[in-house]
Amino acid sequence: MKKIILSISIILFSLSGFSQALKPVKIDSLVTVSLPTGFVKKDTLGQQIYQATASLGNILVLRVPNPNSGKPLNKEKDLKNVFKTYIAGIQKQSGNGSVMYPRDTTIGKLEGKVFTLRIDNSGSTGASPELRNFILLYTQDVTYTFEYNYPEQRIDLAKDEFKAFSSSIRVAPSLDRRDQYLSDAKGLSSPAKIGIYGGGAIIVFIIVFTVMRRKNRQLEAGV
């Protein structure tokens, strides 16, 4: 019983220590995230990397300028393709990683992508599989990647720590979806297409039927 109480105390102490150590850090003039004290920042060829050690996992934040900087995407589907390509690239780099729980999210007025990458090297190293939680944000100028990774055996313990980190991401109010893609048009829904095309077919049928009926009447009248 004493061991259980001691373990719970250690966990609570670690979580409270993490929350106290968090402080907002400006990634740039548009994006802010809270990181543990003692983080390390690196700047390589315009790419900014922030690394930090939390109580139960590790944090990595990347700010990478886009190669097509200044050219926003056209449609929402283009943004989804960007996320799809990015996730595929991360999975490929991991070697044997498997993507889990991909889903859409919203931060401020921006659309983002959240997913988990599970890497299992237990067969070769004997180490616990690793879970990497990713949050992706794309703008016409920069792609932001927020990563929190930890051993899978800590999955229940690390939930609150990851939540504290992920919920601290803030974007400037001036950023909106026009900074991601230009057109809000999503195309016609299936029911709408059926209604339009079906209605058009009905109209054509009525016209043809009317013309044929008129011709029949003329033939019957001997005109």
Side-chain angles (χ1 to χ4, degrees), residues 2-12:
K2 289 183 179 180
K3 290 183 178 180
I4 295 176
I5 295 175
L6 180 60
S7 298
I8 295 175
S9 299
I10 292 174
I11 293 169
L12 293 176

PDB file of all heavy atoms in Angstrom, residues 2-12:
ATOM      1  N   LYS A   2       1.930   1.230   0.800  1.00  0.00           N
ATOM      2  CA  LYS A   2       2.837   2.370   0.861  1.00  0.00           C
ATOM      3  C   LYS A   2       3.512   2.596  -0.484  1.00  0.00           C
ATOM      4  O   LYS A   2       3.733   3.732  -0.905  1.00  0.00           O
ATOM      5  CB  LYS A   2       3.892   2.136   1.945  1.00  0.00           C
ATOM      6  CG  LYS A   2       3.336   2.219   3.370  1.00  0.00           C
ATOM      7  CD  LYS A   2       4.451   2.039   4.373  1.00  0.00           C
ATOM      8  CE  LYS A   2       3.907   2.145   5.803  1.00  0.00           C
ATOM      9  NZ  LYS A   2       4.984   1.970   6.815  1.00  0.00           N
ATOM     10  N   LYS A   3       3.838   1.471  -1.180  1.00  0.00           N
ATOM     11  CA  LYS A   3       4.473   1.586  -2.488  1.00  0.00           C
ATOM     12  C   LYS A   3       3.527   2.248  -3.492  1.00  0.00           C
ATOM     13  O   LYS A   3       3.940   3.054  -4.321  1.00  0.00           O
ATOM     14  CB  LYS A   3       4.903   0.212  -2.998  1.00  0.00           C
ATOM     15  CG  LYS A   3       6.069  -0.397  -2.220  1.00  0.00           C
ATOM     16  CD  LYS A   3       6.476  -1.722  -2.832  1.00  0.00           C
ATOM     17  CE  LYS A   3       7.676  -2.317  -2.079  1.00  0.00           C
ATOM     18  NZ  LYS A   3       8.098  -3.614  -2.655  1.00  0.00           N
ATOM     19  N   ILE A   4       2.233   1.876  -3.414  1.00  0.00           N
ATOM     20  CA  ILE A   4       1.242   2.452  -4.322  1.00  0.00           C
ATOM     21  C   ILE A   4       1.115   3.951  -4.078  1.00  0.00           C
ATOM     22  O   ILE A   4       1.106   4.757  -5.006  1.00  0.00           O
ATOM     23  CB  ILE A   4      -0.126   1.757  -4.150  1.00  0.00           C
ATOM     24  CG1 ILE A   4      -0.028   0.286  -4.564  1.00  0.00           C
ATOM     25  CG2 ILE A   4      -1.202   2.488  -4.973  1.00  0.00           C
ATOM     26  CD1 ILE A   4      -1.296  -0.491  -4.327  1.00  0.00           C
ATOM     27  N   ILE A   5       1.015   4.330  -2.805  1.00  0.00           N
ATOM     28  CA  ILE A   5       0.895   5.741  -2.455  1.00  0.00           C
ATOM     29  C   ILE A   5       2.128   6.515  -2.902  1.00  0.00           C
ATOM     30  O   ILE A   5       2.040   7.615  -3.444  1.00  0.00           O
ATOM     31  CB  ILE A   5       0.686   5.904  -0.938  1.00  0.00           C
ATOM     32  CG1 ILE A   5      -0.664   5.289  -0.530  1.00  0.00           C
ATOM     33  CG2 ILE A   5       0.742   7.379  -0.540  1.00  0.00           C
ATOM     34  CD1 ILE A   5      -0.899   5.293   0.965  1.00  0.00           C
ATOM     35  N   LEU A   6       3.301   5.899  -2.725  1.00  0.00           N
ATOM     36  CA  LEU A   6       4.551   6.539  -3.120  1.00  0.00           C
ATOM     37  C   LEU A   6       4.598   6.734  -4.627  1.00  0.00           C
ATOM     38  O   LEU A   6       5.006   7.793  -5.122  1.00  0.00           O
ATOM     39  CB  LEU A   6       5.741   5.694  -2.662  1.00  0.00           C
ATOM     40  CG  LEU A   6       7.140   6.242  -3.017  1.00  0.00           C
ATOM     41  CD1 LEU A   6       7.341   7.607  -2.373  1.00  0.00           C
ATOM     42  CD2 LEU A   6       8.217   5.263  -2.558  1.00  0.00           C
ATOM     43  N   SER A   7       4.147   5.719  -5.379  1.00  0.00           N
ATOM     44  CA  SER A   7       4.149   5.815  -6.840  1.00  0.00           C
ATOM     45  C   SER A   7       3.223   6.934  -7.314  1.00  0.00           C
ATOM     46  O   SER A   7       3.569   7.718  -8.205  1.00  0.00           O
ATOM     47  CB  SER A   7       3.710   4.484  -7.459  1.00  0.00           C
ATOM     48  OG  SER A   7       4.606   3.459  -7.108  1.00  0.00           O
ATOM     49  N   ILE A   8       2.028   6.991  -6.717  1.00  0.00           N
ATOM     50  CA  ILE A   8       1.080   8.044  -7.085  1.00  0.00           C
ATOM     51  C   ILE A   8       1.651   9.419  -6.772  1.00  0.00           C
ATOM     52  O   ILE A   8       1.523  10.361  -7.546  1.00  0.00           O
ATOM     53  CB  ILE A   8      -0.262   7.841  -6.347  1.00  0.00           C
ATOM     54  CG1 ILE A   8      -0.926   6.538  -6.823  1.00  0.00           C
ATOM     55  CG2 ILE A   8      -1.189   9.025  -6.575  1.00  0.00           C
ATOM     56  CD1 ILE A   8      -2.188   6.185  -6.071  1.00  0.00           C
ATOM     57  N   SER A   9       2.319   9.530  -5.635  1.00  0.00           N
ATOM     58  CA  SER A   9       2.915  10.811  -5.245  1.00  0.00           C
ATOM     59  C   SER A   9       3.978  11.248  -6.244  1.00  0.00           C
ATOM     60  O   SER A   9       4.069  12.421  -6.611  1.00  0.00           O
ATOM     61  CB  SER A   9       3.532  10.700  -3.848  1.00  0.00           C
ATOM     62  OG  SER A   9       2.552  10.371  -2.894  1.00  0.00           O
ATOM     63  N   ILE A  10       4.787  10.283  -6.701  1.00  0.00           N
ATOM     64  CA  ILE A  10       5.843  10.597  -7.669  1.00  0.00           C
ATOM     65  C   ILE A  10       5.226  11.079  -8.982  1.00  0.00           C
ATOM     66  O   ILE A  10       5.684  12.049  -9.589  1.00  0.00           O
ATOM     67  CB  ILE A  10       6.731   9.361  -7.925  1.00  0.00           C
ATOM     68  CG1 ILE A  10       7.544   9.039  -6.657  1.00  0.00           C
ATOM     69  CG2 ILE A  10       7.664   9.591  -9.105  1.00  0.00           C
ATOM     70  CD1 ILE A  10       8.334   7.754  -6.749  1.00  0.00           C
ATOM     71  N   ILE A  11       4.153  10.400  -9.418  1.00  0.00           N
ATOM     72  CA  ILE A  11       3.488  10.781 -10.668  1.00  0.00           C
ATOM     73  C   ILE A  11       2.907  12.187 -10.567  1.00  0.00           C
ATOM     74  O   ILE A  11       3.099  13.032 -11.442  1.00  0.00           O
ATOM     75  CB  ILE A  11       2.368   9.771 -11.010  1.00  0.00           C
ATOM     76  CG1 ILE A  11       2.972   8.415 -11.350  1.00  0.00           C
ATOM     77  CG2 ILE A  11       1.519  10.276 -12.188  1.00  0.00           C
ATOM     78  CD1 ILE A  11       1.959   7.308 -11.450  1.00  0.00           C
ATOM     79  N   LEU A  12       2.215  12.455  -9.457  1.00  0.00           N
ATOM     80  CA  LEU A  12       1.611  13.771  -9.271  1.00  0.00           C
ATOM     81  C   LEU A  12       2.671  14.856  -9.188  1.00  0.00           C
ATOM     82  O   LEU A  12       2.517  15.954  -9.714  1.00  0.00           O
ATOM     83  CB  LEU A  12       0.740  13.779  -7.998  1.00  0.00           C
ATOM     84  CG  LEU A  12      -0.515  12.903  -8.054  1.00  0.00           C
ATOM     85  CD1 LEU A  12      -1.231  12.927  -6.707  1.00  0.00           C
ATOM     86  CD2 LEU A  12      -1.459  13.380  -9.158  1.00  0.00           C
TER      87      LEU A  12
END
